[in-house]
Amino acid sequence: MELGLRLDYAKHPDVVIATDPDADRMGEAVAHDGKFVLLSGNEMGVLLMDWLAQVRVLAGQDLGEKVVVSSIVTTDILESLAAQYGFQLRRTLTGFKNIGGQIAVLKKSGGLDRWLMGFEESYGYLPGTYVRDKDAISACISFVEMVGWYLQRSFDLVEIMEGLYRRYGYYLTRTLSFAFPGAAGA
């Protein structure tokens, strides 16, 4: 991402997208007021989830049977979005083996079509059911579709996220990492 942001963009792109080497995490920067803004994993997950819900509601779908899955360390703004749209929010322990595992649960009960999205704050997204792990390829496709949808309506993602914060409240999220090396650390 850092290298991508250093390029001199003569064409002024709307977004810069990067994945990690094994393409399971997606990071992005979006153009806003003449500069690029990095979005957190929580923000991108909320934006994708809200957009997927909006598109389905506009198509006349009832989201009452839909399921969104996130880990217990993912943003609590999802509670407000679940109340707004009516989907079921399932929280799992961290890790996509748990989030993606909910696809198997839905499939076993014949409810695979209930899946809306899964994500966690670590830049992992799962907008479909064909992969059971975080998948940057499908996330990039959904992201680009979302950006185009909003740009057709003259909005950028920073504006949309600010609107969600104003509507549902501001949520502070940050990751704290602690290291306890050696035998004394154990």
Side-chain angles (χ1 to χ4, degrees), residues 34-78:
K35 63 181 179 185
F36 282 111
V37 177
L38 295 170
L39 297 168
S40 73
N42 275 322
E43 289 171 326
M44 182 48 53
V46 166
L47 285 163
L48 282 169
M49 196 282 316
D50 180 67
W51 172 72
L52 289 169
Q54 270 189 76
V55 168
R56 282 167 176 75
V57 167
L58 289 172
Q61 293 181 21
D62 176 12
L63 299 184
E65 293 296 316
K66 293 294 185 183
V67 174
V68 171
V69 182
S70 71
S71 66
I72 58 174
V73 297
T74 303
T75 180
D76 289 333
I77 197 172
L78 289 175

Side-chain angles (χ1 to χ4, degrees), residues 131 159 184:
V131 177
E159 294 166 333

Side-chain angles (χ1 to χ4, degrees), residues 50-120:
D50 180 67
W51 172 72
L52 289 169
Q54 270 189 76
V55 168
R56 282 167 176 75
V57 167
L58 289 172
Q61 293 181 21
D62 176 12
L63 299 184
E65 293 296 316
K66 293 294 185 183
V67 174
V68 171
V69 182
S70 71
S71 66
I72 58 174
V73 297
T74 303
T75 180
D76 289 333
I77 197 172
L78 289 175
E79 305 289 340
S80 298
L81 290 167
Q84 168 74 29
Y85 288 110
F87 59 76
Q88 179 186 2
L89 177 61
R90 294 184 184 178
R91 298 287 197 161
T92 68
L93 295 176
T94 57
F96 264 81
K97 67 179 179 237
N98 298 309
I99 293 171
Q102 289 297 307
I103 294 171
V105 171
L106 289 171
K107 185 176 182 178
K108 188 174 183 177
S109 67
L112 194 57
D113 59 332
R114 295 181 59 205
W115 183 265
L116 185 58
M117 183 179 167
F119 81 95
E120 63 182 8

Side-chain angles (χ1 to χ4, degrees), residues 42 73 94 121-123 172-180:
N42 275 322
V73 297
T94 57
E121 87 298 336
S122 61
Y123 297 89
L172 173 66
T173 60
R174 70 177 162 190
T175 302
L176 300 175
S177 297
F178 301 94
F180 303 94

